[in-house]
């Protein structure tokens, strides 16, 4: 007698699942594409796993980003959203609000976070990339997470925001506490968030008297028909740009390099292309790495404000909905050879940066950092190889992000 569908359902949110969630997501896409489950935090939520359903949900105005629409009271105890943001009064940012407030804030922030500003930042990102590689190149071994992928976006976003150099190590410490929350007490995260908010408010106050060319000064200057960001709004925006901007890039670089190390033929094609001074394959490679094993596993929280139907399943008012980007981006109904890493893939409308009005505002910066980091590593350390059994690598626990705790590598020492 064949097993029932229920008995073959894979177990979610275990350590084995964290190491490789894709078989479980394939099962959900086929058997339960809109699936209600209990999360590790105890909150019940719907997981959306098919590409077409995911795009619908990401753009559906009946799914609110505001946790106040949650029918339970879990958001009050910090079980939804970013740990500590409610206690630190940092809720008023783009990930937690809806139109018209979202429209106003995004328009104001866009004036400060322009493509020109990101393009002008490229030399600084390259300088930071080279400096970090310099620190370990002569040694012949490194942990690409702690020594490279983690500090690069922290220092880059601090520079972009206008955090003085003498304060950036504090930010690095606070950020480290935030991304370690999957393996430690969430109270430590809340303390880090509170310290970060206090620092940002003080920095904004100082910059009002001496505006520069940095992003925080741009947020202070930004206005729309006479409207300005309040200090709390500016602090919340600076916080979310830091939080969303750095951890996404840590995982883009870490997951991307891990995928390349495991696919030597694809990596060789990319190295040859970079060696010829080309940028085309590098650009499509980063998009494919975002699709294949992206940095954001689940899109941030959404809450049903009206009854709606996704994938033939009725979602009650107040229920949380989590769009599983990692599952949608390997949906065979949208992507040919969905489990194959193809760096030259052209038809690649992945959801790695989201979709709709909440599409990641920092996507150009993440792409720039990912391209420069990967290209520089492959150029300066061409014989880079994994220094551990892949089965022994640990992935960080957590719901939204997907990233390695460490990525040990060896290479020929270089001056």
């Amino acid at each position: 007698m064949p097993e029932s569908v229920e008995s073959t359902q894979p177990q979610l949110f275990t350590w084995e699942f964290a190491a490789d969630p894709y078989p479980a997501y394939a099962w959900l896409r086929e058997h339960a594409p809109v699936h209600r489950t209990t999360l590790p935090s105890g909150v019940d939520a719907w997981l959306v796993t098919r590409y077409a359903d995911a795009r619908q949900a990401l753009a559906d105005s009946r799914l609110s980003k505001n946790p106040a629409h949650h029918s339970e009271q879990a958001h009050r105890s910090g079980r939804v959203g970013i740990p500590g943001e409610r206690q630190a009064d940092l809720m008023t940012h783009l990930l937690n609000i809806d139109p018209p407030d979202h429209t106003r804030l995004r328009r104001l922030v866009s004036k400060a976070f322009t493509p020109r500003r990101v393009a002008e930042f490229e030399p600084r990102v390259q300088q930071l990339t080279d400096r970090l590689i310099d620190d370990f190149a002569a040694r012949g071994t490194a942990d690409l997470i702690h020594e490279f992928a983690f500090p690069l976006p922290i220092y880059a976003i601090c520079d972009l925001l206008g955090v003085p150099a003498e304060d950036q190590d504090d930010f690095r410490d606070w950020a480290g506490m935030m991304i370690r929350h999957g393996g430690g007490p969430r109270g430590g995260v809340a303390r880090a968030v509170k310290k970060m908010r206090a620092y940002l408010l003080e920095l904004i106050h100082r910059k009002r008297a001496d505006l520069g060319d940095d992003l925080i000064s741009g947020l202070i200057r930004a206005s729309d028909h006479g409207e300005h960001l309040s200090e709390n709004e500016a602090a919340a925006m600076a916080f979310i740009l830091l939080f969303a901007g750095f951890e996404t890039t840590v995982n883009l670089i870490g997951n991307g390099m891990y995928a390349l190390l495991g696919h030597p033929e694809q990596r060789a094609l990319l190295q040859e292309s970079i060696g010829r001074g080309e940028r085309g394959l590098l650009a499509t490679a980063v998009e494919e790495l975002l699709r294949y094993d992206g940095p954001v596993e689940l899109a941030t929280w959404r809450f049903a404000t009206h009854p709606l139907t996704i994938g033939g399943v009725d979602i009650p008012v107040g229920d949380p909905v989590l769009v599983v980007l990692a599952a949608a981006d390997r949906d065979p109904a949208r992507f040919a050879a969905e489990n194959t890493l193809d760096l030259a893939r052209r038809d690649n409308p992945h959801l790695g940066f989201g979709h709709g009005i909440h599409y990641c505002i920092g996507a150009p910066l993440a792409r720039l950092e990912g391209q420069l980091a990967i290209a520089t590593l492959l150029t300066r350390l061409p014989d880079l190889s994994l220094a551990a059994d892949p089965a022994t690598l640990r992935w960080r626990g957590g719901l939204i992000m997907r990233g390695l705790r460490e990525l040990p590598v060896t290479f020929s020492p270089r001056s």
Side-chain angles (χ1 to χ4, degrees), residues 84-105:
E85 65 180 358
R86 176 171 293 277
Q87 295 94 320
D89 196 21
L90 285 171
M91 293 290 289
T92 313
H93 56 67
L94 292 178
L95 293 184
N96 279 345
I97 56 174
D98 306 312
D101 289 336
H102 177 272
T103 308
R104 178 182 71 88
L105 285 184

Side-chain angles (χ1 to χ4, degrees), residues 166-231:
E166 61 269 22
D167 297 338
Q168 292 187 6
D169 283 338
D170 286 336
F171 262 74
R172 181 174 175 169
D173 291 343
W174 297 331
M177 291 176 68
M178 288 164 66
I179 71 167
R180 286 193 299 269
H181 71 80
R186 291 165 70 91
V189 187
R191 285 194 297 274
V193 170
K194 193 172 181 179
K195 289 179 180 178
M196 198 174 287
R197 175 191 182 260
Y199 176 84
L200 287 170
L201 282 172
E202 193 269 334
L203 182 62
I204 289 166
H205 185 71
R206 274 191 283 146
K207 284 187 178 291
R208 282 194 187 279
D210 185 21
L211 294 176
D213 192 37
D214 53 83
L215 189 55
I216 286 181
S217 296
L219 291 174
I220 294 169
R221 282 195 196 92
S223 64
D224 185 47
H225 303 299
E227 288 185 293
H228 291 263
L229 290 167
S230 68
E231 287 206 350

Side-chain angles (χ1 to χ4, degrees), residues 14-227:
T14 64
W15 288 112
E16 292 76 16
F17 169 84
D20 183 12
Y22 296 103
Y25 289 149
W27 188 95
L28 287 175
R29 276 196 311 266
E30 182 176 355
H31 299 287
V34 181
H35 176 62
R36 186 174 174 86
T37 189
T38 301
L39 305 174
S41 62
V43 175
D44 289 332
W46 295 92
L47 302 181
V48 178
T49 54
R50 287 181 180 167
Y51 183 87
D53 297 335
R55 275 180 64 94
Q56 174 203 331
L58 291 172
D60 197 319
S61 61
R62 294 169 297 177
L63 287 172
S64 169
K65 298 289 290 175
N66 187 343
H69 291 293
H70 192 188
S71 60
E72 300 178 26
Q73 300 304 309
H75 64 281
R76 292 185 179 173
S77 59
R79 288 195 289 156
V80 301
I82 299 167
E85 65 180 358
R86 176 171 293 277
Q87 295 94 320
D89 196 21
L90 285 171
M91 293 290 289
T92 313
H93 56 67
L94 292 178
L95 293 184
N96 279 345
I97 56 174
D98 306 312
D101 289 336
H102 177 272
T103 308
R104 178 182 71 88
L105 285 184
R106 188 169 180 115
R107 186 163 55 234
L108 289 171
V109 173
S110 295
K111 292 184 177 184
F113 204 79
T114 62
R116 177 188 64 82
R117 186 186 293 274
V118 172
E120 290 175 349
F121 200 51
E122 181 170 347
R124 178 57 177 153
V125 175
Q126 185 65 65
Q127 182 185 35
L128 287 168
T129 301
D130 282 318
R131 189 188 82 194
L132 290 169
I133 294 175
D134 287 344
D135 288 343
F136 57 74
R139 200 170 67 225
T141 64
D143 177 353
L144 287 186
I145 301 299
H146 291 285
E147 297 182 79
F148 184 72
F150 174 70
L152 174 60
I154 277 290
Y155 291 136
I157 198 71
C158 280
D159 278 1
L160 196 65
L161 286 170
V163 176
E166 61 269 22
D167 297 338
Q168 292 187 6
D169 283 338
D170 286 336
F171 262 74
R172 181 174 175 169
D173 291 343
W174 297 331
M177 291 176 68
M178 288 164 66
I179 71 167
R180 286 193 299 269
H181 71 80
R186 291 165 70 91
V189 187
R191 285 194 297 274
V193 170
K194 193 172 181 179
K195 289 179 180 178
M196 198 174 287
R197 175 191 182 260
Y199 176 84
L200 287 170
L201 282 172
E202 193 269 334
L203 182 62
I204 289 166
H205 185 71
R206 274 191 283 146
K207 284 187 178 291
R208 282 194 187 279
D210 185 21
L211 294 176
D213 192 37
D214 53 83
L215 189 55
I216 286 181
S217 296
L219 291 174
I220 294 169
R221 282 195 196 92
S223 64
D224 185 47
H225 303 299
E227 288 185 293

Side-chain angles (χ1 to χ4, degrees), residues 260-302:
L260 291 173
L261 291 172
H263 294 80
E265 292 181 3
Q266 289 289 299
R267 170 186 162 183
L269 290 174
L270 181 57
Q271 283 180 299
E272 291 165 10
S273 176
I274 294 169
R276 293 191 296 268
E278 300 167 352
R279 293 292 291 264
L281 186 60
L282 178 61
T284 60
V286 168
E287 300 308 305
E288 175 68 346
L289 293 170
L290 283 161
R291 182 201 72 83
Y292 180 77
D293 196 10
V296 183
E297 190 166 342
L298 284 74
T300 49
W301 297 82
R302 284 166 166 79

Side-chain angles (χ1 to χ4, degrees), residues 350-370:
H350 65 78
L351 302 176
F353 289 123
H355 172 65
I357 64 169
H358 290 283
Y359 183 83
C360 177
I361 199 169
L365 179 61
R367 285 187 167 106
L368 171 68
E369 292 176 337

